[in-house]
Amino acid sequence: MKPLAVTDHTLASALGVGRAATLAALRDGRSGLARKTFETAALDTWIGEVEGVDAQALPPALADFDCRNNRLAWLGLQADGFAASVARARARFGPRRIGVFLGTSTSGILQTELAYRRRDPATGALPADFRYAQTHNTYSVVDFTRRVLDLEGPSCAVSTACSSSAKVFGHAARLIELGVIDAAVVGGVDSLCLTTLYGFNSLELLSDDICRPWDAQRHGLSLGEAAAFALLERDADTPQAWLRGVGESSDGFHMSSPHPQGAGAAEAMQAALAQAGVAPGEIDYLNLHGTATPNNDSAEDLAVCTVFGDRLPCSSTKGATGHTLGAAGGVEAAIAMLALQHGLMPGGLNRRTPDAALRSRYLDANVEARLRLVASNSFGFGGSNACLVFGAAA
């Protein structure tokens, strides 16, 4: 593919709001996870909650969109001057030539959970002020973002579980290549809710310990929430990074378990490398999907070693942010670009005992080096896989 310019990107996660806060936390080896409760969920677990979400006030004209998910999106869109960068692109290309493609899994389902508590006792009807389309529907965050940024190009929500906000990079790249649009806002937003907390707990995937990717005693994930956005343009003189390749695949194996040999994950990585036109040995760092569930880490390790061998430095940053589900691909793309921009390969957190069965070169501490090419993996339920390759701006 012709490299696409990433002219701006930003994120809000449990590590803080904006690139500087995220980079500082990564440099300090600081996790945003805390043992705490969320809403009425009575679970003993660690959570990556974004501070200040409930205090966000949406503009009066967007009051119908008020929910935790859109307040989180609003928080992210105000960071790092991202909205101003989009305004510049809008002036350059026109609002109809910029698409909006965002990944989410549960979107604003918390708003429906709250509405159910206020059902009419006689009829069971939801309260009249509940607005499903603007707050719960997976497209609501896309519609909200289009209105905030005053964009009128093609738009859609991608909901393929935890690969959602990585796959939107591919969707945007294809439409730009076809000439349908000149630029796109991509990323993902997913906020905490009771459905995900209780759901992952029922699947026995939620850990009562802080998540420990690549640890011999790992036994599950810690849930988080986040918003992440990137602005892709057909070309630019001073980009922050280049999107070089996008690889996507489907395991076609199981509804919730990855292919045990990581076959689909390896295909996604190989496809991303082929699209970027680079050899495996040219990648300097890989941000793993790394959920800290036993099967996922084992399958990903096999896939990484199949494609890259066992010498590529890699790490999972979910010990810092938690698993942000539909936003994870966007968050980790942003972290991969921060790694490129600042020459920082972030060490994975919380690992106490390396799993001897995993052979990839997992980093437990930060490593500073000049990076030219990095990759980021995102895998979702149903075997939905995506890998992104980013190149340095200069």
Side-chain angles (χ1 to χ4, degrees):
M1 65 178 280
K2 179 184 177 183
L4 288 178
V6 184
T7 53
D8 203 358
H9 67 96
T10 189
L11 70 167
S13 76
L15 294 181
V17 178
R19 297 193 302 266
T22 303
L23 181 64
L26 294 174
R27 286 196 188 284
D28 294 344
R30 175 165 38 88
S31 175
L33 296 174
R35 187 183 291 280
K36 60 194 302 185
T37 58
F38 177 80
E39 253 285 327
T40 58
L43 298 170
D44 182 19
T45 188
W46 292 67
I47 289 174
E49 184 175 354
V50 180
E51 295 293 331
V53 174
D54 289 334
Q56 296 301 305
L58 303 186
L62 297 174
D64 285 352
F65 289 84
D66 190 32
C67 67
R68 184 175 181 83
N69 208 53
N70 289 332
R71 289 196 293 270
L72 178 54
W74 174 256
L75 188 63
L77 289 168
Q78 306 311 306
D80 293 315
F82 186 79
S85 294
V86 175
R88 175 195 52 74
R90 190 176 64 235
R92 178 187 181 196
F93 299 115
R96 292 181 179 273
R97 296 291 297 176
I98 304 176
V100 178
F101 312 110
L102 300 178
T104 188
S105 60
T106 55
S107 190
I109 197 170
L110 175 65
Q111 200 68 9
T112 300
E113 295 170 346
L114 298 175
Y116 261 68
R117 297 176 186 170
R118 299 190 290 124
R119 282 180 299 172
D120 185 293
T123 67
L126 291 167
D129 61 359
F130 171 60
R131 303 186 185 282
Y132 170 83
Q134 290 86 0
T135 60
H136 177 154
N137 188 288
T138 51
Y139 185 73
S140 66
V141 69
V142 182
D143 193 9
F144 174 74
T145 300
R146 292 178 84 233
R147 292 168 189 258
V148 169
L149 299 176
D150 196 17
L151 298 177
E152 301 173 13
S155 62
C156 72
V158 172
S159 190
T160 56
C162 309
S163 63
S164 301
S165 55
K167 291 176 73 70
V168 293
F169 284 81
H171 191 72
R174 287 187 286 274
L175 291 184
I176 292 174
E177 184 175 3
L178 288 168
V180 176
I181 54 176
D182 294 306
V185 172
V186 297
V189 185
D190 240 348
S191 50
L192 289 165
C193 63
L194 304 182
T195 298
T196 51
L197 284 162
Y198 283 120
F200 278 93
N201 189 59
S202 296
L203 290 168
E204 300 181 343
L205 296 176
L206 190 66
S207 177
D208 59 1
D209 191 6
I210 193 168
C211 81
R212 293 186 273 151
W214 255 245
D215 189 286
Q217 303 302 317
R218 65 189 182 277
H219 53 88
L221 51 85
S222 303
L223 286 171
E225 61 183 355
F229 299 97
L231 176 60
L232 305 181
E233 297 187 47
R234 180 181 298 284
D235 53 54
D237 293 331
T238 56
Q240 295 190 10
W242 294 98
L243 176 64
R244 295 284 302 272
V246 182
E248 299 172 77
S249 70
S250 176
D251 282 1
F253 174 75
H254 191 271
M255 288 182 67
S256 60
S257 296
H259 188 286
Q261 302 303 313
E267 286 183 19
M269 287 182 263
Q270 290 163 338
L273 294 173
Q275 196 174 66
V278 301
E282 295 180 76
I283 299 296
D284 297 311
Y285 165 74
L286 171 65
N287 189 290
L288 299 161
H289 187 57
T291 59
T293 56
N295 290 346
N296 282 0
D297 285 5
S298 296
E300 186 173 12
D301 182 76
L302 286 169
V304 169
C305 290
T306 296
V307 177
F308 295 102
D310 59 4
R311 301 306 305 158
L312 174 64
C314 58
S315 63
S316 166
T317 46
K318 287 187 172 65
T321 63
H323 193 345
T324 59
L325 305 179
V331 168
E332 288 151 24
I335 290 175
M337 287 188 277
L338 285 174
L340 267 180
Q341 292 173 291
H342 299 278
L344 175 70
M345 293 182 275
L349 303 182
N350 313 324
R351 190 164 78 148
R352 299 168 191 159
T353 306
D355 186 340
L358 306 184
R359 297 188 299 113
S360 53
R361 184 182 170 188
Y362 192 84
L363 301 177
D364 286 307
N366 291 346
V367 175
E368 296 195 10
R370 184 182 182 191
L371 305 178
R372 296 178 184 276
L373 287 166
V374 301
S376 180
N377 282 344
S378 297
F379 309 135
F381 275 163
S384 175
N385 308 302
C387 178
L388 307 176
V389 172
F390 293 99

